[in-house]
Amino acid sequence: RDQAIAAQEASVSGINWTFGPMVDIARDARWGRMVEGAGEDTYLGSVMARAQVLGFQGPKLGTPHRVLASVKHFAGYGAAEGGRDYDTSYISEIQLRNVYLPPFKAAIDAGVGTVMSAYMALNDVPASGNAWLLQDLLRGELGFRGFVISDSWSVASLKVHGFARDEADAAARALRAGVSMDMGSMTYLMQLGKLVESGRMSVATVDRMVREVLAVKFRLGLFETPYGDLANKDKVLNDPAHRATTREAAQRAIVLLRNSGRTLPLKKTLRSIAVIGPLGDATEDIKG
């Protein structure tokens, strides 16, 4: 219900794609992005993945008042060493299949239209240049039929990883691995034409990835109805039913604390409160 409301409010505003759900299983509390997902439990993560995809997209792409979803980050991003974001993930085959992949499988089975490839290296191979991960496993074994978008700048980051010699090599490696769209870095935009002209990449390879993107746009109905519904925007954004559902979601998401010594509610006569710790006044870090 929450994601269906988000989708309705976004679509009426002319937004037709969201970079969610984030379904990374995370078991190291030091990882700062844990808050975006469902936590450590694979079953819960899978149930949430399916529900969010169906909420965003509806029963199929092109359902009125819904948006395209993008399940992320494929795959193993939540297992970064030491909880350090972008750091390498080392995951055994049995862990990958039993812990980290099921939420993605649930999203794919629910019809998710796009998958976002991850920043980090999975077992020493960068995820956004990993043909086994994006072709053999994702498209072959899991049966994904949408298109893959890189996480922001992760195509250009193939050079940073030392996996690609330069920007042209990064573009070639990412495209051949199965990344259909480059987010942010403009590596495809600047390099693919040169790669084709030099004979290092075939037009057919580029066409195959373009076809994946266009197929999703057609299924989404963007060639028939590319714009939002500004005439009804204010009505939808101010729908009282949306506000009521949002309140219910907030209530159900509240973390309860043990009120030891009846500390709460704080007494009105209290003159000062000490907030202890390095994040006590870090307003940028505690947003949300």
Side-chain angles (χ1 to χ4, degrees), residues 87 164 196:
D87 213 347
V196 171

Side-chain angles (χ1 to χ4, degrees), residues 130-194:
N130 193 327
W132 172 80
L133 187 67
L134 301 179
Q135 298 283 18
D136 299 349
L137 183 59
L138 179 62
R139 290 174 171 89
E141 198 171 322
L142 298 182
F144 176 62
R145 291 294 177 265
F147 73 83
V148 175
I149 180 170
S150 76
D151 206 341
S152 182
W153 288 78
S154 64
V155 171
S157 292
L158 294 181
K159 180 183 174 184
V160 180
H161 279 287
F163 187 71
R165 291 186 303 273
D166 50 30
E167 287 79 7
D169 193 37
R173 287 176 178 270
L175 196 73
R176 289 189 180 118
V179 175
S180 316
M181 185 182 288
D182 165 26
M183 190 210 300
S185 76
M186 296 193 291
T187 308
Y188 281 5
L189 181 65
M190 302 302 293
Q191 301 298 331
L192 288 184
K194 299 175 187 177

Side-chain angles (χ1 to χ4, degrees), residues 2 245-255:
D2 294 337
T245 302
T246 301
R247 178 179 290 274
E248 181 185 353
Q251 290 171 337
R252 293 179 66 175
I254 287 172
V255 176

Side-chain angles (χ1 to χ4, degrees), residues 60-84:
K60 65 177 183 178
L61 290 188
T63 299
H65 312 303
R66 301 297 175 97
V67 299
L68 178 66
S70 185
V71 66
K72 63 185 186 181
H73 306 83
F74 198 75
Y77 187 48
E81 280 204 317
R84 295 184 296 270

Side-chain angles (χ1 to χ4, degrees), residues 158-277:
L158 294 181
K159 180 183 174 184
V160 180
H161 279 287
F163 187 71
R165 291 186 303 273
D166 50 30
E167 287 79 7
D169 193 37
R173 287 176 178 270
L175 196 73
R176 289 189 180 118
V179 175
S180 316
M181 185 182 288
D182 165 26
M183 190 210 300
S185 76
M186 296 193 291
T187 308
Y188 281 5
L189 181 65
M190 302 302 293
Q191 301 298 331
L192 288 184
K194 299 175 187 177
L195 288 168
V196 171
E197 289 172 2
S198 67
R200 291 177 60 188
M201 177 166 291
S202 69
V203 173
T205 301
V206 179
D207 283 348
R208 184 169 68 251
M209 294 308 178
V210 171
R211 190 177 297 113
E212 287 187 350
V213 176
L214 289 176
V216 170
K217 289 184 176 183
F218 274 116
R219 291 170 62 198
L220 203 60
L222 292 182
F223 289 90
E224 291 77 27
T225 54
Y227 306 113
D229 182 9
L230 296 183
N232 289 309
K233 179 179 177 181
D234 289 344
K235 179 181 177 181
V236 172
L237 295 183
N238 293 288
D239 189 333
H242 292 190
R243 185 178 295 259
T245 302
T246 301
R247 178 179 290 274
E248 181 185 353
Q251 290 171 337
R252 293 179 66 175
I254 287 172
V255 176
L256 298 179
L257 304 177
R258 178 172 290 144
N259 192 11
S260 300
R262 297 185 179 179
T263 302
L264 301 175
L266 298 177
K267 295 178 176 60
K268 292 182 178 180
T269 55
L270 198 66
R271 300 185 64 180
S272 65
I273 299 174
V275 181
I276 308 298

